[in-house]
Amino acid sequence: ALWCLMMSVTPTRGCLLDLPWEDILVPHILCHLPLQQLLSLQRVSKSFQSLIQLYLANMRCFDSSQIGPAIPRAAFVNLLKDNEVLQQLALQSCSNWLTDQELLPVIGQNHHLHHIQLKGCSQLSRHALVAISLSCPNLRQLSLAHCEWVDSLSLRSLADHCKALEAVDLTACRQLKDEAICYLVQKCGRLKSLSLAVNANVGNVAVEETAKCCPELEHLDLTGCLRVKNDSIRVLAEYCPKLRSLKVKHCHNVAESSLSILRSRGVELDVEPPMQRALVLLQDVVGFAPFINLQI
């Protein structure tokens, strides 16, 4: 129906392009169309091409997954070359080819970005994170999961310039050690969500400093952090009253003696209580869960 409306050119009704572009079409109509369809509309006519270019220049949110995993590098550069008002940028679907050369111009001309998703973008370098820290002072959410190029110096730059951060995903950023995490949380005390998962270099020092510096913390992911122990979990329970979820699967040095404190407060944990784990294991082994009187 929308396509028919766009193509209608009867003298009595006029056509969609007769409506004010910046006041009506861009903010109230085109924003409801998938990005893939908008790009297809560019091939209808020169007028539609100009309209879509205007839309792209004023787009507040760009999510590469809306186009698909096969977005060409040249197309990406062309799509965002005129945009200076982006607020959200998600580029995980560009991870196979995205480099500093494509990303840095976009970051440099968009100073209002507050959400950036770079999960799996392994071909970037530390210069990308430095550029983000210098150009995006209002950044609130940043995902750098599986970006092993993130190092302590670039993370320090982020901490120094983006103090409004509320959520940071550093999953599998394996260059980072306790010292770098401590510096981040000391500078960014508003953090509500932090992932340090799959990092064997992260231990008690980082977790305890996070607890003491981030009283608003609600979600913490420590999956696979083998150096984290019970003591740091107790500190977390003491200093983070707003904690809602904690992931400690594969943290072999974290036991129920510390987790029970959080469990009693209703914190969502990704490991079951010992009795429940035993029942699940027994069910897997023998194919059924026997009746057990837990009140004994």
Side-chain angles (χ1 to χ4, degrees), residues 5 8-16 18:
L5 177 62
S8 63
V9 290
T10 58
T12 55
R13 293 186 178 181
C15 73
L16 189 69
D18 292 335

Side-chain angles (χ1 to χ4, degrees), residues 129 144 147-152 154-155 170 173-176:
L129 186 53
L144 299 168
C147 294
E148 296 194 22
W149 46 265
V150 177
D151 60 11
S152 59
S154 57
L155 193 69
L170 299 173
C173 293
R174 294 186 175 91
Q175 289 195 57
L176 300 178

Side-chain angles (χ1 to χ4, degrees), residues 89-100:
L89 181 63
L91 299 177
Q92 61 269 33
S93 295
C94 305
S95 58
N96 290 334
W97 54 261
L98 185 70
T99 68
D100 293 355

Side-chain angles (χ1 to χ4, degrees), residues 196-214:
L196 304 173
V198 198
N199 192 331
N201 294 317
V202 170
N204 282 354
V205 174
V207 176
E208 291 178 13
E209 193 67 13
T210 298
K212 294 174 182 178
C213 295
C214 303

Side-chain angles (χ1 to χ4, degrees), residues 250-261:
H250 308 301
C251 294
H252 304 305
N253 294 313
V254 174
E256 185 63 22
S257 58
S258 61
L259 294 177
S260 60
I261 305 171

